Amino acid sequence: VVPDVREFPGHGACDPRSRSEIALPVMAGGRVVAVFDADHHSGAVTAEDVEPLVRILSLLDPYLIPVTSRQVV
């Protein structure tokens, strides 16, 4: 969670309008298979936003297949 990306050294914004950002792992079978990344153009993302998003992302687990090292090419 970065409440103000302008005050985060080395932050490379994908969108110059971005003011805050949150990035969370997307898990499948206990492994990270993707990253959920969202920018906010006004206001700020806070630590309070983490738990609801983690719960939503956990709903994806049964529909995702963990990638094994043998599947990576």
Side-chain angles (χ1 to χ4, degrees):
V1 174
V2 181
D4 187 344
V5 297
R6 297 168 293 182
E7 296 179 13
F8 189 80
H11 181 268
C14 297
D15 184 337
R17 298 171 297 170
S18 178
R19 292 296 172 253
S20 63
E21 181 175 5
I22 187 168
L24 297 168
V26 178
M27 308 293 289
R31 298 183 70 168
V32 176
V33 296
V35 175
F36 171 84
D37 187 319
D39 297 343
H40 199 290
H41 295 157
S42 62
V45 177
T46 67
E48 292 176 356
D49 298 314
V50 173
E51 181 56 34
L53 287 171
V54 167
R55 279 200 246 134
I56 291 168
L57 293 173
S58 72
L59 297 173
L60 298 173
D61 188 282
Y63 304 100
L64 301 174
I65 300 169
V67 176
T68 66
S69 59
R70 285 181 261 146
Q71 293 171 312
V72 178
V73 288

